[in-house]
Amino acid sequence: MLGRRRLRVFEASNADDAITILNANSGIRLMFTDIDMPGSMDGLKLAAAVRDRWPPSR
């Protein structure tokens, strides 16, 4: 649905891949994640890591 609205969509198979994508693409402003996902952290830990590393700008 987001792609049809001409928004760029990145997909990650696990939290480690998501962090790699975020590091390489500073323009990302929105992230959706599953709670239960493979890798070194689950979706809740991923969301906390993203919040701590890339806090919202004001």
Side-chain angles (χ1 to χ4, degrees):
M1 182 172 97
L2 296 173
R4 287 192 308 254
R5 295 193 179 255
R6 297 186 183 201
L7 297 172
R8 190 163 179 197
V9 176
F10 298 91
E11 294 183 40
S13 59
N14 58 51
D16 298 317
D17 289 347
I19 295 291
T20 299
I21 291 168
L22 289 163
N23 280 326
N25 298 279
S26 63
I28 294 175
R29 298 289 178 253
L30 179 66
M31 179 183 76
F32 291 97
T33 182
D34 289 335
I35 298 299
D36 184 25
M37 56 190 302
S40 64
M41 60 182 104
D42 63 20
L44 294 174
K45 289 180 185 174
L46 172 61
V50 168
R51 179 198 62 222
D52 292 344
R53 189 163 183 183
W54 294 280
S57 44
R58 298 199 182 238

